Amino acid sequence: MRRVHVTVRGEVQGVGYRYTLRMVAREAGVAGWVRNRHDGSVEAEVEGTPGQVDEVLAWMAEGPPGSLVESATVTDAAPTGERGFEVRPTG
């Protein structure tokens, strides 16, 4: 299993990024969470097989229609065995 922590910057708030990511993540079969940050970025953790995580990361680099992803910083994290994917409150 692979888990990553991702911070996405650009025009990624107010465009459905988090809720679309939740759909993409659930379809890919990964676990984790996503939330807006006060600085205008979106933060997420994604856990699954390397292929599943790569699939979600590829989507995150593009985002939904109406978004403009300027950068996505990905850092490896320790897998937690988490189940499900949720949208969390702004952090």
Side-chain angles (χ1 to χ4, degrees):
M1 295 301 277
R2 179 180 182 206
R3 186 178 186 93
V4 293
H5 181 267
V6 187
T7 302
V8 182
R9 290 184 167 71
E11 295 178 30
V12 292
Q13 290 191 11
V15 294
Y17 193 101
R18 293 171 301 149
Y19 293 96
T20 307
L21 174 57
R22 180 176 62 185
M23 289 185 342
V24 169
R26 288 177 175 176
E27 287 174 10
V30 300
W33 53 267
V34 61
R35 67 180 175 187
N36 282 341
R37 291 176 39 152
H38 295 293
D39 66 2
S41 65
V42 170
E43 175 182 36
E45 290 206 359
V46 179
E47 181 174 329
T49 68
Q52 290 170 317
V53 171
D54 287 345
E55 178 182 339
V56 174
L57 289 175
W59 182 90
M60 291 181 76
E62 295 294 320
S67 69
L68 176 61
V69 175
E70 294 174 359
S71 69
T73 305
V74 180
T75 308
D76 287 323
T80 65
E82 184 175 7
R83 300 276 183 231
F85 196 93
E86 66 180 6
V87 175
R88 291 187 176 173
T90 299

